[in-house]
Amino acid sequence: MVSISHWALEKYTLQGDGQWNEDALIVNENAKIYGVVDGATSLSSYRNKEGMTGGYLAAQLAAAFFGQADGQELEKIAVQANTRLREVMEAEGVDVLEASALWSAAYVIVKVNPYSIDYIQSGDCMLLCKYRDGAVRALTHTQVAHIDRLTLNRMAELRAAGVEDPDELRRLLLPLLQDNRRKANTLEGYGVMNGRPEFPLFLEKGTFNRANVENLYLITDGLYTGAESWESLLDNMDAKGLKGYTEELYTGEQEDAMLLAVPRLKVSDDKTGMVLRFV
C-alpha cells in the first residue's frame, strides 16, 4: 500500500467585512477528508440567540459533518448534512418554503485515497490541481458565474444612473439577489446546500487519479475575486504563501472601498483556502 500521509497541509481563513466569518475549514485526518466551506450571507434578518447568521450556522454544520465522518462516501455525508440542515432550520422556525430565508453553504471537499482523489462541490468554491510538469487543471467550475454576471451588470447600470454608495447599491440590488436565491438547486441556477431535497441532484462529484499531482488547492470565492487566470492565481499563492496572498488581496480590497477597481458586491468577502502539497 502506498503511503498517503506524505504531504504538507497549508490552510488559512480570513474574515471579511461581515460580523461573522461565514467560511469554515474541514481537516479530518483520520478519514483523509479536507475541505473549505462558504456560508452564504443571509438575506433574511434571522439571528440565533448568540447573534449568529444562517450562513455561519450552515457552514459550521457542514464542517462538523465532514470533520467527524469516518469511512463514508462524500456524497452520502453531503446528503446527511443537508437533511440535518433542514431539520435545524425547521426547529428554529425558518420558513423552508421561502428561498431567501434558507441558510445555505457552498463547499469543495476532497477525500485523498492511495491512488485517487474523490471530490464533491457546490456553489462557487473551486478545486484546482497543479501537476509536476506545471500544468493546471480546474476540476470544478463556478456554478454561480452566470448569476454573478447578471448582478454585476445591474450594478453597472445603477452606477451609470448615478448610484455610487455601496450600501445603496446593495439595497437596490436586493430584489435581484432574492430572485437569485430562488434559482438555487434548479436547472437555471446552481447547486448549494440549503436543506432542499433537490440539493443532491445538483451536487458536483468525481474522482481523478493521483499520478503526478503536485498540489491541490481548495478555495472559497473570496480568494479569486479579480483573478486574471487560474494559472496566475496559483502562481501567486505559491510565491507568497496562502496567508501572504490572502492578506495582500484583503488589503487591496480595503483600498478599493468604493468597489471600482474590481466590481463586486462587498468590499471584502470572507476568504478561506487550503493547499495540499504532495512530496
Side-chain angles (χ1 to χ4, degrees):
M1 175 78 63
V2 176
S3 171
I4 62 174
S5 61
H6 293 163
W7 64 61
L9 175 63
E10 187 180 2
K11 62 184 186 299
Y12 189 63
T13 184
L14 180 65
Q15 184 173 338
D17 297 329
Q19 184 181 2
W20 297 90
N21 185 346
E22 294 183 326
D23 283 3
L25 285 156
I26 299 166
V27 179
N28 183 338
E29 295 285 7
N30 290 333
K32 298 294 185 289
I33 293 174
Y34 306 88
V36 296
V37 188
D38 182 0
T41 302
S42 302
L43 296 182
S44 72
S45 59
Y46 173 87
R47 298 290 187 276
N48 70 2
K49 59 184 179 181
E50 287 84 23
M52 298 170 180
T53 64
Y56 175 86
L57 294 167
Q60 292 300 313
L61 185 149
F65 262 78
F66 287 95
Q68 298 165 9
D70 184 16
Q72 293 176 292
E73 295 179 358
L74 295 179
E75 186 176 2
K76 185 173 295 186
I77 303 168
V79 171
Q80 293 171 350
N82 187 62
T83 300
R84 180 56 182 159
L85 178 61
R86 185 181 183 93
E87 293 170 350
V88 173
M89 287 190 292
E90 290 176 334
E92 286 292 307
V94 174
D95 182 358
V96 295
L97 299 180
E98 173 50 53
S100 62
L102 295 176
W103 309 349
S104 59
Y107 52 60
V108 63
I109 301 165
V110 300
K111 183 176 182 180
V112 182
N113 306 305
Y115 300 99
S116 63
I117 297 166
D118 303 326
Y119 70 90
I120 57 173
Q121 183 256 8
S122 64
D124 48 11
C125 292
M126 287 296 296
L127 173 61
L128 304 159
C129 175
K130 181 180 284 188
Y131 290 89
R132 298 194 185 282
D133 64 357
V136 170
R137 179 184 183 186
L139 277 302
T140 58
H141 77 288
T142 57
Q143 294 188 42
V144 300
H146 63 295
I147 299 288
D148 289 342
R149 192 176 306 113
L150 292 174
T151 305
L152 293 177
N153 288 344
R154 178 56 181 153
M155 178 185 285
E157 292 173 355
L158 291 171
R159 284 191 180 280
V163 182
E164 295 292 340
D165 179 68
D167 290 336
E168 179 64 8
L169 283 169
R170 184 170 180 81
R171 186 187 69 80
L172 294 173
L173 287 169
L174 185 58
L176 181 58
L177 297 176
Q178 291 172 329
D179 185 61
N180 291 344
R181 293 295 173 93
R182 297 185 186 100
K183 295 176 181 176
N185 300 320
T186 70
L187 287 176
E188 61 178 347
Y190 53 94
V192 69
M193 188 187 84
N194 64 359
R196 285 281 174 86
E198 296 84 4
F199 167 58
L201 302 174
F202 293 88
L203 183 69
E204 297 264 311
K205 51 189 178 291
T207 300
F208 58 103
N209 73 59
R210 287 184 52 190
N212 297 305
V213 171
E214 184 174 52
N215 300 331
L216 284 182
Y217 307 80
L218 295 78
I219 57 176
T220 63
D221 66 323
L223 277 179
Y224 60 81
T225 301
E228 295 179 359
S229 66
W230 297 130
E231 288 80 5
S232 65
L233 172 70
L234 301 193
D235 286 346
N236 273 328
M237 283 187 177
D238 290 342
K240 300 169 184 175
L242 184 57
K243 182 175 185 291
Y245 168 83
T246 302
E247 294 183 347
E248 182 178 288
L249 177 60
Y250 177 85
T251 298
E253 290 173 341
Q254 293 297 306
E255 294 171 352
D256 179 35
M258 294 302 291
L259 316 180
L260 296 175
V262 178
R264 56 200 190 281
L265 292 180
K266 60 183 72 172
V267 177
S268 289
D269 196 1
D270 301 326
K271 307 178 188 307
T272 299
M274 182 178 294
V275 185
L276 277 68
R277 303 187 187 278
F278 295 86
V279 296

